[in-house]
Amino acid sequence: MQPRPVTAAPASPPSGFDFDVIVIGAGYGGFDAAKHGAEHGLKVAIVESRDMGGTCVNRGCVPSKALLAASGRVRELADAEHLKGFGIHAAPVRFERQKIADHAAQLVATIRTNLTRTLERAGATILRGKGRLDGPQRVAVREASGVERVYAAREVIIATGSDPFVPPGIETDGRTVFTSDEAINLEWLPRWITIIGSGYIGLEFADVYTALGCEVTMIEALDRVMPTFDPDIAKIAARHLIDGRDIDARSGVLASRITPGCPVKIELVDMATREPVETLEVDAVLVATGRVPVSKDLNLASVGVETNRGFIPVDDGLRVLANGAPVPHLWAVGDVTGKMMLAHTAAAQGTVAIDNILGHARRIDYRSIPAATFTHPEISSVGLSEADARELAAAEGFELGAVRSYFKANSKALAELESDGLLKLLFRKDTGEVLGAHIYGLHAADLIQEIANAVARRQGVRQLASEVHTHPTLSEVVEVAYKQAAASLATAVGA
């Protein structure tokens, strides 16, 4: 996705329209769309009924990373054995829960303010209220006062995001049974907390809670913990992030009913047979079972659009589809599309949608978008899973290559006494093209970007193996993988 030059647009929208573009939702997808459009001369309005910045800024990435940063320091200072390896002897660690929570809240307020000011400086109009479609090229905004105003726009972008998913049988009260929306406030530290789900949200909060002294039980309905991660990466990561901590992880069991209270009661059943397994009584439960799109109140029927499990269908240019055909002047970006539910994906989609509105034909390359889990150490990935890569290899008739590069051979990791880590690189053995990568280890979230860039450019390992990396740095883990892959190519086909 190459940046586009600023394109002049009419100083005012076409006759009969209040705006060139109205964006419904001010999360990262809506923010980037509105900012990009306003900077390119379009008259833009953005509609938001809650806090500016959406989930990421207020209830997701931003506050959770603040909690992970603080709790990570606590974990590091409390790890006497690790520090002893450096010859360091630290006093017992003390921390103030409220000040850690305040750090997260202050960061949220700062970024929310900066985001709002950025939109205002770009010239976007902020409409406070709940937005919905009112037929083609029309958006109704219901303000907090109850007053509803209808605006006409040449183009409409839906960017309403997602909310935490709470499965049937689970009752939340926001205090003893809660989702990530409430967990980021860190209002209290339960002595014993159960986390339902072992995806990235569950893992990150398990990292926070165990660092701050909580006992954690992790419940996973599928047959293995961390089911959405590469199996080899999950195996080594679970050994350190789950087995090496005070976490009792159980897979293949379903929390069929959860009742808030003191204690919280959790009824567990076997996932396969639905037979009762056990009833747990714990201090609190965090429900981390994924997210669902916010789309039911958008009045999509007024433009003939049907959702798929709540997700709005779009093409590669982010045009909303009805019966497989693009709906004129209607776009959707971010979590509500269900493509990749990541803040940076939403932001990229927002700019792509605006570029298409401006007449610059663009598509988004989902394969090159990386994902990261900010545990200590981190997990990251980009491109195809090994299973998907094998399917592609079978379909296209090429041999799949896979190499592993270990942190235990890296000088920087050894110097940090953080040498437990693995990089798995997937590539075509005919052309050497990089298809994907999966990393567990120190600063994995940063290391993945280099490989994501290679995937975006469809580069091959022969070319990449010749690139010089700084010594001693963790980036040499990537260099070693490229060289191993290049050496394994069966032919001398240029990459």
Side-chain angles (χ1 to χ4, degrees):
M1 296 180 298
Q2 298 299 319
R4 298 289 180 175
V6 173
T7 302
S12 59
S15 177
F17 293 108
D18 300 297
F19 298 96
D20 290 307
V21 179
I22 292 181
V23 183
I24 305 175
Y28 266 141
F31 167 77
D32 273 66
K35 177 175 176 287
H36 195 55
E39 288 176 343
H40 282 69
L42 299 176
K43 185 178 182 182
V44 177
I46 188 166
V47 183
E48 180 57 61
S49 61
R50 296 195 280 182
D51 293 322
M52 299 292 291
T55 293
C56 182
V57 170
N58 298 285
R59 302 172 296 280
C61 355
V62 169
S64 66
K65 298 315 163 283
L67 296 181
L68 283 160
S71 62
R73 298 293 177 88
V74 173
R75 183 183 300 283
E76 184 178 355
L77 292 171
D79 192 344
E81 286 301 311
H82 184 251
L83 292 174
K84 191 185 296 183
F86 292 107
I88 298 171
H89 302 277
V93 181
R94 295 175 59 251
F95 65 86
E96 297 179 50
R97 177 202 57 79
Q98 187 58 55
K99 289 192 175 181
I100 292 176
D102 291 345
H103 166 58
Q106 288 162 6
L107 180 63
V108 167
T110 297
I111 293 181
R112 185 195 302 143
T113 299
N114 291 345
L115 180 148
T116 304
R117 288 176 177 170
T118 297
L119 285 177
E120 291 172 341
R121 283 196 300 267
T125 299
I126 298 174
L127 302 175
R128 303 300 313 205
K130 188 170 184 178
R132 62 175 176 81
L133 300 178
D134 189 52
Q137 297 177 286
R138 291 167 61 85
V139 174
V141 180
R142 182 175 293 277
E143 300 171 0
S145 64
V147 174
E148 185 166 282
R149 305 180 192 278
V150 177
Y151 301 89
R154 184 166 57 88
E155 309 289 338
V156 176
I157 300 176
I158 299 171
T160 44
S162 64
D163 281 331
F165 170 62
V166 179
I170 297 179
E171 180 185 347
T172 63
D173 64 356
R175 174 68 179 175
T176 61
V177 182
F178 48 83
T179 68
S180 56
D181 280 3
E182 293 83 26
I184 51 92
N185 296 321
L186 203 68
E187 291 184 356
W188 66 301
L189 292 173
R191 288 173 299 174
W192 182 9
I193 183 169
T194 292
I195 297 176
I196 310 297
S198 61
Y200 76 94
I201 296 174
L203 287 174
E204 288 184 351
F205 276 104
D207 199 285
V208 171
Y209 283 122
T210 54
L212 300 182
C214 304
E215 182 180 347
V216 173
T217 294
M218 183 171 282
I219 304 297
E220 175 55 59
L222 298 182
D223 58 2
R224 68 178 176 91
V225 176
M226 300 176 61
T228 59
F229 295 86
D230 175 90
D232 292 325
I233 296 299
K235 184 176 180 180
I236 184 174
R239 191 161 66 237
H240 299 283
L241 300 179
I242 296 176
D243 301 340
R245 297 175 181 173
D246 194 10
I247 299 177
D248 174 22
R250 309 183 189 188
S251 58
V253 290
L254 175 72
S256 62
R257 182 172 298 278
I258 298 179
T259 307
C262 297
V264 179
K265 293 186 178 180
I266 309 170
E267 297 177 24
L268 299 177
V269 300
D270 183 274
M271 184 63 183
T273 66
R274 293 301 198 270
E275 291 295 322
V277 172
E278 184 180 0
T279 297
L280 297 179
E281 293 187 349
V282 299
D283 297 306
V285 171
L286 166 61
V287 183
T289 49
R291 301 184 65 84
V292 291
V294 177
S295 62
K296 67 177 183 178
D297 296 326
L298 287 171
N299 193 26
L300 290 164
S302 68
V303 290
V305 173
E306 293 184 5
T307 64
N308 179 9
R309 295 179 296 112
F311 293 108
I312 298 175
V314 294
D315 65 12
D316 288 341
L318 288 314
R319 299 168 185 84
V320 172
L321 302 176
N323 298 316
V327 177
H329 312 293
L330 186 61
W331 314 73
V333 303
D335 285 5
V336 78
T337 68
K339 295 297 185 180
M340 288 180 74
M341 298 176 80
L342 302 168
H344 48 283
T345 301
Q349 288 175 320
T351 58
V352 168
I354 289 293
D355 278 345
N356 283 318
I357 286 171
L358 290 167
H360 305 303
R362 286 185 67 194
R363 301 171 66 181
I364 191 160
D365 178 19
Y366 294 106
R367 186 188 290 186
S368 66
I369 298 176
T373 301
F374 294 89
T375 46
H376 296 86
E378 297 167 343
I379 308 170
S380 62
S381 64
V382 71
L384 300 179
S385 67
E386 185 167 0
D388 288 343
R390 291 198 182 283
E391 284 187 13
L392 181 67
E396 297 190 2
F398 65 85
E399 185 180 355
L400 177 67
V403 296
R404 292 163 174 77
S405 177
Y406 293 91
F407 283 57
K408 62 186 177 183
N410 180 267
S411 298
K412 183 65 181 296
L414 290 167
E416 298 279 354
L417 298 179
E418 294 279 3
S419 60
D420 289 318
L422 168 67
L423 183 159
K424 178 195 281 189
L425 184 73
L426 306 171
F427 58 97
R428 296 178 62 123
K429 275 203 168 183
D430 53 354
T431 65
E433 179 188 339
V434 176
L435 298 176
H438 305 268
I439 309 176
Y440 165 77
L442 189 65
H443 298 306
D446 298 306
L447 292 175
I448 201 67
Q449 189 61 54
E450 177 182 351
I451 305 175
N453 294 342
V455 172
R457 295 164 188 146
R458 301 300 192 258
Q459 289 178 300
V461 294
R462 288 190 187 278
Q463 173 189 353
L464 295 165
S466 66
E467 295 178 349
V468 180
H469 292 67
T470 310
H471 176 78
T473 65
L474 294 169
S475 70
E476 291 174 290
V477 172
V478 180
E479 179 183 12
V480 169
Y482 285 155
K483 288 181 175 177
Q484 287 178 340
S488 74
L489 294 184
T491 67
V493 176

